[in-house]
Amino acid sequence: MKFAYKFSNLLGAVYRHGNLSFSKDGNSVISPVGNRISIFDLKNNKSETLPVSTNKNIACVGLSPDGNLAILVDEDGAAVLVSLITRAVLYHHHFHKPVGSIRFSPDGRKFVVTKENVALMYHAPGKIREFNTFALDKSYFGPYDETTCIDWTDDSKCFAVGSKDMTTWVFGAERWANLLYYSLGGHKDIIVGCFFEKDSLNLYTVSRDGTLCVWESDTELDGLRKGPKYSERKKMAEERKRHFFNKEGDFNNLTAVAFHKRTHILVTGFASGAFYLHELPEFDLVHSLSISDQRISTIALNPTGDWIGFGCSGLGQLLVWEWQSESYVFKQQGHFNNMASLAYSPDGQYLATGGDDGKVKVWNCSSGLCFVTFKEHTSSITGVAFTSSGLVVLSASLDGTVRAFDLHRYRNFRTMTSPQPTQFSSLAVDLSGDLVCAGAQDSFEIFLWSMQTGRLLEVLSGHEGPVSCLCFSPVQSVLVSVSWDKTVRLWDMLDSWQTKEVLRLNSDGLAVAYRPDGQELAVATLDGEITFWSPQAATQTGSIVGRHDLQIGRKETEKITAKQSAKGKAFTCLCYSADGESMLAGGHSKFVCIYNIKEQILMKKFEISCNMSLDAMEEFLDRRKMTEFGSLALVDEGAGDGDGVELRLPGVRRGDMSSRHFKPEIRVTSLHFSPTGRSWAAASTEGLLVYSLDTSLVFDPYDLDMDVTPVSVRHQLKKKEWTSAIVLAFRLNETSLIREVLESVPYNQTELVSSSLPDVYVEKLLDFVASSLEKSRHLQFYLTWAQNLLTLHGQKLKTILTTIQQLLKSIQRHHDDLSKLCDWNIYTIRYTAALAKQRGMKRTAEVMDSEDEEEDMSDPVIVES
């Protein structure tokens, strides 16, 4: 097995902190998620997380006017210049202080960064290659407190900066004779937003207390003249109007604002979760709505002004609202607490996740979006699982219930409970989907229910500690359970649910997993070991000591040494690969280890996150934070608009004086390989990370010699030697070349070429067809190849289970898309035909009426004398 896996996508989180941005065409929204950015395609309903990350959580994002470049700035002021075309990092820069906002000029030549009370203007990266990409042009001083917002005039001649000192400063991007700088006061709270009117120096300023000031300039943009500054000061702008949002005073804390210059629409968001649309300069209320009970952190408008993007960091919500039709274009929310468990559907199309927020979410692996959320649980989810049909999702929770959800009707159709209230810590469902098991962490028992009736069948006793993990055998009716009592028990489901075997461990058992063929068992224990057992012989066949591979990080508040801290850390989740040759293991660490089971050696380590905003990321403590009184990390900085996760008292919605902050600890809570074998997912503090096979960058030739070149492959194509060309292309093993050769084969020759293909290349070609079918538009062509290969060589192929599952996944996805399109077309045609028929009947009636009138007029009139 080749470990050419790379980061593919981030699910389970859609927004954390920072400002939203729309793409140039307005069809995509760019959202910061922790130390990464995700791009949500609103037109095609897809999401993508860039393989680019910063050292800490992203604080602000600056997007170039052409939409090709983005500058990501983290909490410490470290900036990364990213190309949105190649998805690559172009340059690193450090501003050495936290950055409040960043904004490109409309012409794309400059960008302004605000940090502390200074505005810094840089030359924007151009198309030429520069040694120093961030070249400082000017520094602007004026505000006495931190700067908060920036806005440019349409011609890039001036920009305005808002500050926490309740003033707004207007600066010239160049040295203008009649404008060097100008200060505007009049507010009584922090400036949240400042905006120029279109093609004008007139300005709108909005403060946190809900006050809008309208400033009118006596100078037009064309009136700015270059040259030395005037000796005397001249009043350039004066306040004309002042408006107040929400005069009743219900929501007086304005948190976000955005303005669209062309339509004169001002959007304001409040801490209560309400937002308002006003038309300026008359300040007419257009629309108001409450979208959440948490504060709105950021607002963005797309270039046409039709769509409004909202980000709520408290709940991790991302919303796009079309204000004219008053409807949602996009609505997503991740787990706002830790993600506890995950499971792949049997066909690999969907991922189910359960979180500490008590929600079960189902995600589409192709689009990366959540399409259903179940909120019936009242406590943390500890386990999720799919039935073999893929139509039912099961979840276990600490609220003492196991619930079954129907993915057709999106409802909770079965709720299973225990005779006495207990907390369920693990979940498993058998291969037939008829038996559901859940392990208790307080009564040490295993409960067995029938899926059909929801009735409790049996309570399995025997463990003397909390049941940490359950797993059914994939080939027979055997349940395996592992517990903190240092035992693994095998239960026979066909023989009155009796204990079949008891395996003794050296330490507390934490996780257990069956190999896909059911011939091996892997158990993770508290001492950091992974032991392998034969279920039939009940003997240990091998072990891996993996504690040192975890590389445990140090918490900021820990008072013990790293050596002592590592003794309590171990692997908490295990997963076999689809072929059963490798093992994924993760736990209280930022690393996921992949082992070769046969050799019992570490093959590769995947670093889940490099986000230093999380705890337990550093191997050594920072001595600069240590004082004679203890660590500075123990100092509570209090509540506010900080970056940590707020802990609130139960039932308190706002005004919570007890709220404090903490740094979430990095850990991997669940691992799962896709049934197709082409990807695996990890549930972590950062979210749901998906790693897929990297087929584009791996050069892995097969049976290569000097004569195998792209030229020789294309020469065989010209000679119409299709089989020879395919063989040579696979020997070179370049994806683009194989696709070129395969799509050059005539449609009516596919059966002949399939029959003449050597056996060693049949499996390779079938695997390539399965992967290409997922994204290709040539559906019938690739389906014909798959049908011919399976018909002619199906009996000879042995290890093609993952390939078949990949084929089924692709076919099912295309079927779903095409069936919706076909149904829509059928309904449209029927409606058009009915409309045409109705109009035809109406026209016929009109013709008949006109004929009747003509007959009446042509009848002779007899006049009696």
Side-chain angles (χ1 to χ4, degrees):
M1 181 180 177
K2 301 175 180 61
F3 304 99
Y5 288 95
K6 67 171 182 178
F7 173 77
S8 173
N9 207 352
L10 173 64
L11 285 68
V14 292
Y15 173 77
R16 291 276 173 81
H17 178 66
N19 61 296
L20 298 176
S21 303
F22 276 93
S23 60
K24 184 181 178 181
D25 59 3
N27 293 329
S28 300
V29 62
I30 299 169
S31 171
V33 184
N35 66 333
R36 302 178 184 269
I37 59 169
S38 295
I39 301 177
F40 297 94
D41 189 343
L42 306 177
K43 191 174 182 181
N44 299 314
N45 204 34
K46 287 187 177 182
S47 73
E48 177 191 7
T49 303
L50 302 191
V52 173
S53 58
T54 56
N55 290 330
K56 286 198 171 183
N57 287 335
I58 294 173
C60 53
V61 178
L63 192 65
S64 64
D66 58 6
N68 295 335
L69 297 175
I71 299 176
L72 318 179
V73 187
D74 68 11
E75 297 166 344
D76 288 344
V80 177
L81 177 66
V82 179
S83 169
L84 296 181
I85 299 175
T86 62
R87 272 49 174 164
V89 175
L90 303 180
Y91 188 71
H92 290 268
H93 185 80
H94 209 300
F95 294 109
H96 303 292
K97 295 287 183 181
V99 172
S101 57
I102 182 169
R103 190 78 177 267
F104 275 86
S105 63
D107 60 7
R109 295 182 178 180
K110 305 283 181 68
F111 67 89
V112 173
V113 173
T114 60
K115 67 173 187 177
E116 295 184 328
N117 63 334
V118 186
L120 305 174
M121 186 166 69
Y122 288 84
H123 291 286
K127 296 181 180 179
I128 60 173
R129 295 185 179 181
E130 299 151 316
F131 178 74
N132 184 11
T133 308
F134 285 19
L136 180 63
D137 185 17
K138 296 183 183 71
S139 298
Y140 296 88
F141 296 87
Y144 294 96
D145 205 341
E146 293 181 18
T147 46
T148 56
C149 53
I150 309 167
D151 191 51
W152 285 84
T153 56
D154 289 329
D155 58 1
S156 304
K157 290 182 178 179
C158 304
F159 64 91
V161 175
S163 171
K164 287 186 178 180
D165 65 0
M166 299 174 286
T167 62
T168 304
W169 292 73
V170 181
F171 296 105
E174 300 178 31
R175 187 176 292 276
W176 303 110
N178 49 347
L179 173 62
L180 181 62
Y181 64 86
Y182 205 89
S183 176
L184 304 172
H187 284 281
K188 298 180 181 179
D189 209 335
I190 295 171
I191 304 298
V192 179
C194 54
F195 308 99
F196 284 104
E197 274 191 354
K198 184 173 176 60
D199 300 324
S200 172
L201 281 171
N202 294 342
L203 194 68
Y204 302 105
T205 56
V206 183
S207 60
R208 190 172 62 178
D209 60 356
T211 304
L212 167 69
C213 290
V214 183
W215 304 88
E216 187 174 323
S217 172
D218 61 357
T219 306
E220 298 296 329
L221 281 174
D222 298 336
L224 295 175
R225 299 186 300 276
K226 290 187 177 181
K229 63 181 181 180
Y230 286 156
S231 58
E232 73 270 11
R233 290 291 305 273
K234 176 186 174 185
K235 191 170 184 180
M236 177 188 158
E238 61 178 343
E239 184 180 350
R240 288 294 183 188
K241 295 179 183 177
R242 181 174 293 210
H243 303 284
F244 299 94
F245 295 94
N246 198 19
K247 297 175 183 177
E248 293 80 7
D250 296 334
F251 317 114
N252 58 357
N253 196 0
L254 190 147
T255 56
V257 62
F259 178 64
H260 193 262
K261 297 183 181 181
R262 190 159 54 83
T263 58
H264 300 284
I265 292 295
L266 181 75
V267 188
T268 50
F270 293 83
S272 61
F275 75 90
Y276 294 87
L277 265 74
H278 288 87
E279 188 174 3
L280 299 181
E282 291 80 10
F283 199 68
D284 296 329
L285 180 63
V286 178
H287 185 60
S288 64
L289 187 73
S290 179
I291 58 173
S292 173
D293 59 353
Q294 298 286 330
R295 68 188 292 269
I296 297 175
S297 306
T298 179
I299 299 175
L301 285 151
N302 75 334
T304 60
D306 297 327
W307 293 349
I308 309 170
F310 298 96
C312 303
S313 58
L315 294 175
Q317 266 185 332
L318 177 61
L319 308 168
V320 178
W321 175 264
E322 187 175 35
W323 63 273
Q324 291 176 335
S325 64
E326 299 186 8
S327 60
Y328 284 111
V329 177
F330 184 83
K331 186 178 182 181
Q332 289 283 302
Q333 178 182 339
H335 293 282
F336 58 86
N337 280 337
N338 288 336
M339 195 179 297
S341 57
L342 73 95
Y344 266 101
S345 64
D347 58 2
Q349 285 198 85
Y350 307 123
L351 265 168
T353 58
D356 288 345
D357 55 2
K359 294 179 181 177
V360 177
K361 291 178 174 286
V362 186
W363 307 80
N364 188 311
C365 295
S366 300
S367 66
L369 301 177
C370 172
F371 63 90
V372 62
T373 301
F374 300 107
K375 305 177 182 179
E376 280 77 10
H377 284 291
T378 57
S379 188
S380 300
I381 309 295
T382 55
V384 291
F386 276 92
T387 58
S388 56
S389 65
L391 303 177
V392 177
V393 176
L394 290 150
S395 61
S397 172
L398 294 179
D399 63 4
T401 63
V402 173
R403 296 178 183 269
F405 303 99
D406 184 2
L407 290 185
H408 271 167
R409 297 178 180 86
Y410 300 143
R411 63 187 180 94
N412 174 208
F413 71 92
R414 193 82 73 230
T415 301
M416 291 158 273
T417 57
S418 56
Q420 299 294 327
T422 186
Q423 292 183 319
F424 296 124
S425 58
S426 53
L427 176 71
V429 58
D430 75 333
L431 195 61
S432 65
D434 294 334
L435 297 177
V436 180
C437 293
Q441 68 177 19
D442 45 8
S443 64
F444 313 153
E445 295 170 326
I446 301 170
F447 297 88
L448 187 67
W449 294 274
S450 166
M451 172 68 82
Q452 298 293 332
T453 62
R455 189 169 59 88
L456 182 65
L457 300 177
E458 188 67 29
V459 179
L460 308 179
S461 303
H463 282 296
E464 299 174 359
V467 180
S468 53
C469 190
L470 296 172
C471 184
F472 270 100
S473 169
V475 294
Q476 52 186 345
S477 295
V478 174
L479 172 70
V480 60
S481 61
V482 64
S483 170
W484 292 8
D485 63 1
K486 301 181 182 181
T487 63
V488 175
R489 292 179 177 267
L490 280 75
W491 311 83
D492 192 345
M493 297 290 102
L494 299 179
D495 187 14
S496 302
W497 304 297
Q498 297 297 317
T499 303
K500 186 178 178 182
E501 295 286 351
V502 179
L503 311 178
R504 302 291 175 182
L505 305 173
N506 296 326
S507 186
D508 297 5
L510 300 179
V512 63
Y514 256 109
R515 201 167 69 183
D517 61 1
Q519 302 301 310
E520 189 178 74
L521 205 60
V523 182
T525 51
L526 190 60
D527 57 3
E529 285 193 14
I530 302 173
T531 54
F532 299 96
W533 301 77
S534 170
Q536 288 77 20
T539 56
Q540 184 175 340
T541 57
S543 67
I544 295 174
V545 180
R547 171 168 290 164
H548 300 293
D549 299 330
L550 271 173
Q551 286 188 5
I552 307 298
R554 295 288 304 277
K555 290 185 183 180
E556 288 186 343
T557 56
E558 277 185 354
K559 298 180 180 179
I560 58 176
T561 62
K563 185 177 180 181
Q564 293 295 325
S565 175
K567 290 183 178 179
K569 305 295 175 65
F571 293 117
T572 57
C573 48
L574 299 174
C575 177
Y576 275 94
S577 62
D579 57 7
E581 296 179 1
S582 306
M583 167 71 65
L584 277 174
H588 297 271
S589 169
K590 62 179 178 180
F591 291 104
V592 170
C593 303
I594 188 163
Y595 293 96
N596 184 293
I597 298 174
K598 185 178 180 181
E599 303 294 336
Q600 297 183 2
I601 59 173
L602 177 68
M603 299 299 294
K604 190 171 182 178
K605 287 166 67 171
F606 297 91
E607 187 176 11
I608 292 296
S609 176
C610 61
N611 190 357
M612 303 305 292
S613 297
L614 302 175
D615 207 359
M617 287 293 295
E618 296 182 283
E619 191 174 351
F620 303 100
L621 290 182
D622 190 352
R623 294 296 174 187
R624 292 174 295 182
K625 295 183 179 179
M626 301 301 294
T627 66
E628 57 181 321
F629 305 105
S631 173
L632 291 176
L634 293 169
V635 178
D636 186 5
E637 296 181 357
D641 299 334
D643 305 315
V645 180
E646 291 191 1
L647 291 179
R648 296 183 177 273
L649 289 176
V652 178
R653 293 183 177 271
R654 60 176 70 93
D656 184 7
M657 300 303 293
S658 71
S659 64
R660 59 188 177 91
H661 300 275
F662 77 100
K663 292 178 70 173
E665 181 185 353
I666 184 68
R667 63 174 59 189
V668 178
T669 54
S670 185
L671 288 167
H672 212 289
F673 245 102
S674 170
T676 62
R678 305 190 65 83
S679 63
W680 57 271
S684 69
T685 314
E686 281 281 76
L688 180 60
L689 297 109
V690 181
Y691 287 77
S692 301
L693 275 175
D694 183 9
T695 56
S696 58
L697 302 177
V698 178
F699 177 65
D700 184 22
Y702 175 78
D703 194 19
L704 190 65
D705 58 31
M706 295 293 291
D707 298 329
V708 182
T709 62
V711 176
S712 62
V713 173
R714 292 186 176 95
H715 181 66
Q716 293 295 324
L717 279 181
K718 287 182 180 179
K719 294 168 59 179
K720 298 185 179 180
E721 298 287 342
W722 312 118
T723 305
S724 176
I726 291 174
V727 170
L728 289 176
F730 272 105
R731 287 175 66 182
L732 197 59
N733 207 7
E734 284 189 7
T735 305
S736 58
L737 187 62
I738 296 172
R739 184 175 292 108
E740 179 187 342
V741 170
L742 207 61
E743 293 181 358
S744 300
V745 179
Y747 176 75
N748 55 1
Q749 296 287 321
T750 54
E751 186 174 359
L752 179 62
V753 174
S754 299
S755 62
S756 61
L757 203 64
D759 293 344
V760 70
Y761 293 101
V762 172
E763 190 173 336
K764 293 178 180 292
L765 179 56
L766 189 63
D767 187 52
F768 180 81
V769 168
S771 59
S772 299
L773 185 62
E774 189 171 0
K775 297 180 180 178
S776 177
R777 292 175 294 178
H778 308 296
L779 298 184
Q780 187 177 1
F781 181 75
Y782 280 107
L783 285 173
T784 305
W785 272 106
Q787 182 183 5
N788 291 329
L789 289 171
L790 290 172
T791 304
L792 297 169
H793 303 278
Q795 295 179 347
K796 305 175 189 175
L797 301 175
K798 296 180 181 178
T799 58
I800 60 166
L801 179 60
T802 57
T803 305
I804 295 297
Q805 287 174 331
Q806 176 75 6
L807 272 172
L808 288 174
K809 175 186 174 183
S810 303
I811 293 169
Q812 184 64 40
R813 189 175 70 84
H814 284 301
H815 175 266
D816 293 342
D817 294 342
L818 288 175
S819 61
K820 291 178 184 177
L821 181 63
C822 293
D823 289 343
W824 175 257
N825 290 340
I826 289 171
Y827 298 147
T828 307
I829 291 169
R830 287 177 180 172
Y831 173 74
T832 308
L835 197 63
K837 186 177 179 181
Q838 186 178 4
R839 287 182 177 177
M841 293 173 63
K842 186 176 180 182
R843 189 173 300 168
T844 304
E846 290 176 354
V847 170
M848 291 178 65
D849 291 342
S850 62
E851 289 178 353
D852 291 341
E853 289 177 3
E854 290 176 358
E855 288 178 1
D856 292 340
M857 292 175 65
S858 61
D859 287 342
V861 180
I862 302 172
V863 180
E864 296 181 358
S865 58

